[in-house]
C-alpha cells in the first residue's frame, strides 16, 4: 500500500543519507522519492538503451504507468 511504501522510502532516506537507491516501478507514488529518472527503451534492432530523462518526463512516465528507475 502507498502509506507503507512512503514510510519505507522515508526510512531509507533518513537512515542511508548519501546512498544511491535504485527503484524499478510503475507507480506515480514513487516519483517524490527520486531525484533522477531513467528510461530503458529498445532501438530498431531490439537492443535496449538506458538514458536519463528529466523529472518532468519521469512524472509523465509514472502517470502513464511506464517504467521508472
Amino acid at each position: 500500500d502507498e502509506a507503507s511504501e512512503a514510510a519505507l522510502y522515508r526510512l531509507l532516506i533518513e537512515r542511508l543519507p548519501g546512498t544511491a537507491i535504485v527503484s524499478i516501478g510503475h507507480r506515480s507514488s514513487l516519483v517524490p522519492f527520486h531525484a533522477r529518472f531513467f528510461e530503458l527503451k529498445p532501438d530498431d534492432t531490439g537492443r535496449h538503451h538506458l538514458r536519463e530523462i528529466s523529472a518532468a518526463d519521469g512524472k509523465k512516465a509514472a502517470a502513464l504507468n511506464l517504467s521508472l528507475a
Side-chain angles (χ1 to χ4, degrees):
D1 69 280
E2 289 185 16
S4 297
E5 176 183 82
L8 174 64
Y9 275 97
R10 282 193 295 272
L11 183 64
L12 287 169
I13 292 165
E14 175 189 317
R15 300 267 176 99
L16 302 171
T19 300
I21 299 168
V22 177
S23 297
I24 299 171
H26 302 276
R27 297 172 63 144
S28 60
S29 56
L30 292 173
V31 173
F33 299 103
H34 296 80
R36 297 174 69 190
F37 300 87
F38 296 87
E39 177 179 63
L40 183 63
K41 287 183 82 171
D43 62 18
D44 294 338
T45 68
R47 290 186 66 187
H48 284 74
H49 301 275
L50 183 68
R51 70 178 181 101
E52 188 166 6
I53 60 175
S54 71
D57 286 339
K59 290 174 187 170
K60 282 189 256 178
L64 294 171
N65 199 23
L66 300 176
S67 296
L68 297 176

